[in-house]
Amino acid sequence: MLSLTVHLLLARYSATKQVVVKSRAHTIISRWDTRGSERDDTPAMLTPNIWSAVRSLKSLRPHAAPRISYPLPSIPNNGYLFSEIVGEFHEIRSSICDLVAIARLLNATLVLPVLREVTDAKGISSKFEGFNYIYNEKHFISSLADDVHIVKKLPNRFILEENHPLMKIPSDSATPEFYLLHVLPKLKKKGAIGLLVSGGGCLQNLLTAELAEYQRLRCRVAFHALRFRREIQDLASKMLQRLQRTGFPYLAIHVGLERDSLAYHGCAELFQDVHTELIQNKRSLMRKGGVLTGQVNVDSEQQWLNGLCPLMPEDVGVLLRALGYKRSTRIFISGAELFGGQRILLGLRSVFQNLEDRTTLSTEEERSDLYGPEEEIPPPPPYAIPIIDEKERLAAWSKAGPRPRPLPPPAGRPKLPHELDGWWGWVGESDTEPEPTIVDTRERGHKLIWQALDYILCVEANAFFPSFDEDKSGHPNFASLVMGHRAYTSAYRRTYRPNRRKIASFLLNVREHLYEPGRAWMAAVRNMLVKSIGEDGLIEASNNTKPRSFLSHPLPECLCQLGIERTLNKSLLHIQGPDGRVLFGDEEMCPEWIKDELLQSNNDKLDEEADYTEVSGPSSVGEEPLQSAAEKLEDTLFPEGDEDNDPND
C-alpha cells in the first residue's frame, strides 16, 4: 500500500514534466513562436519580411530576345539532325536546349529528339510517342520557327537507307569548334546525322561573348518553348489553386533524397539498416561500371561536413524555423523519389504541420488521366522459396561478418513469402539486385510526369529551398534548373541557395541540442541564409554552378537591367571571377518596350483598384503634383515597407 501510494503521488505531481519530456521538440519549437501575445495558430502570412521580394534584384527582368541582326533559318540547309537522349527529367531538359543551339550552329533541320526514358519504359500508353509524353510539340515547333527549322520525324529516305552515322557526344564538354570541324562535314556528306546524348548536355556550358546569342537561344528554349502538354498544365493549375486556397503564400522544398545520387556521393551512413545496404550496393555497381573512381566505403560524416550530402529534412525544418517560418506555413515537398519513405519526413513534420505533395494535392484518378490508357499488368508469379541447406546458410553467414542486413530465420523455419515482399526484399536473400519489372519500367515514365508537376509548383512558389542540387553524376540536378528558371522569370523572389558546407558546421555545433540552439546561433544562420537570396547567392552560383549548367544560372546573358538606380552596393555592379569572367552586374539596359509593359501593367492594377474606391471631391489642401513616368516605375519596383530583412542591410 505504501509503494502504491508513493507511485500515485509521483504520477500526480510530476505529470507536467512528463508531458514536456514526451514532446520536447514540440515544446521547444512552440517557444520560438511565442513573441509577446502572438499565438502559433496565426496564419502563415504573419511577418512580411520572410515572403517579401528581394529589393536589390527587383530591377532585373527576363530578356532573351536577340540583340543583333538575327537571320531566319534557311531552307534548304545542310541536312537533318536527329538524336536520342538518355537521362532523367533535368538531363532531358538541358539536352534539348543544347540540341536546338547545335542545329542553329550547323544550319540543320532539327528532328524532335527521342527520349529513351519514355521509349524504354514498358507498359506506358501507346498514345504518346516520346517527346509529347511531357511536352507540347506544336508549341515547341512554332515558338522556335524563327530560330531553327524543326520536324517531327526523319524523312523516309533516310530511314530506309540507314546510312546516317550515330555519334556519341561527350557530356557538356563539346565545344562549338568540335561540331564545326567534326560533325558538319559528315552532315553535309550524308544529309543526316544522329547524336546520342547522355549526361545532361552535349554543348559546352560557358561560351565566348561572340556566341552570346546561342546562350539566349538556350533561354528561349528552356523558358518559353519547352511548355508542358496541356493536360499536365491543367492539373498543375488545379494543384496550385488547392495549395493557395487559404490565400497565403507557400514554400517549396526539393528534398533531393535519391538512391543513385546518395550512392554517388557516399552518403549511405546518413540512413540505417536496409537503406544503408541498398545505397552501398548501388555504389558498388557504380564503381564496377566506371561511373565513379572512389572507394566503395567512404566516411559519410565527412562527406556531409564537406557539403557533398543532402541536408536531411529534420535539419531543413530547423533552418526554416530559424528564418522565421511558423508551424502553420504551407510547404510543398518536391521529389519524384523519396529514398527512405515517409518516415524520413517525420522530423520535418514535427516542426511544420502543413506539408503537401503531389499525392495530397491530386487524386489517383487525376494522375491516371495524365498517363493515358495503359494495359493492365498481370500480377507477378508467386515467389518460390529456394531450398538451401541450413548448415551451408549458417556457415556462410558466420564467414560474412557483421553486416547491416536482416538476420536469417532460425534453422528450423523457412522464410515466409511476406518476408521477401517489397522493394527491399532481395537484400536479405542475395547481393544481386533483381532486374526491373514491368511495373518498375512503367514507373520510370510516370516519374517524368511527376517531376513536370513538381517543376511547375516549385517555379511558382513564393519561396524555394533546395536540400541538394547535385545528381547521380555530380552535375546540377532538378533543383538547380528550378533555381535557374526562378532567376530568369522572377529574380526578386526568395530562392535560397544554401551553402551546405557552412550549414553542416553550424548544425554540428548544436547536434546535442538541435531544437534549442540559442538566439545567437539562430541569428547567424538567418543572416547566412538571407544573404544567399541576394547578390551573394547569385555570385556564388555564377562561380560554382554556371560552369556545369548554364540553365541553372542564365545571368547576365538572358536578363536586362531597368534604368533605375539600384540599391545595392556600387562595388557589386561588376564582379569578376578569378578567370576574368563577369559573375554579376553585367546585364544590359532593358529596352523601352519592357518598361512600357511594366508601366501598363501597373496602370491596369491601379484601374482595378479604382473600381472599388469611392470617388472623392477635390482636396481643400491642394492637389498632389503629378508623378513622372520614372517615379511611377520606381514605385512599382520598390513599394514601401519592403526593406525589412533585405540581404544588403
Side-chain angles (χ1 to χ4, degrees), residues 326-351:
K326 288 207 166 185
R327 294 193 73 243
S328 56
T329 302
R330 296 185 70 84
I331 295 179
F332 176 74
I333 302 297
S334 165
E337 177 185 349
L338 183 61
F339 188 78
Q342 287 295 321
R343 76 171 186 177
I344 206 71
L345 295 177
L346 290 177
L348 183 61
R349 289 188 184 277
S350 68
V351 183

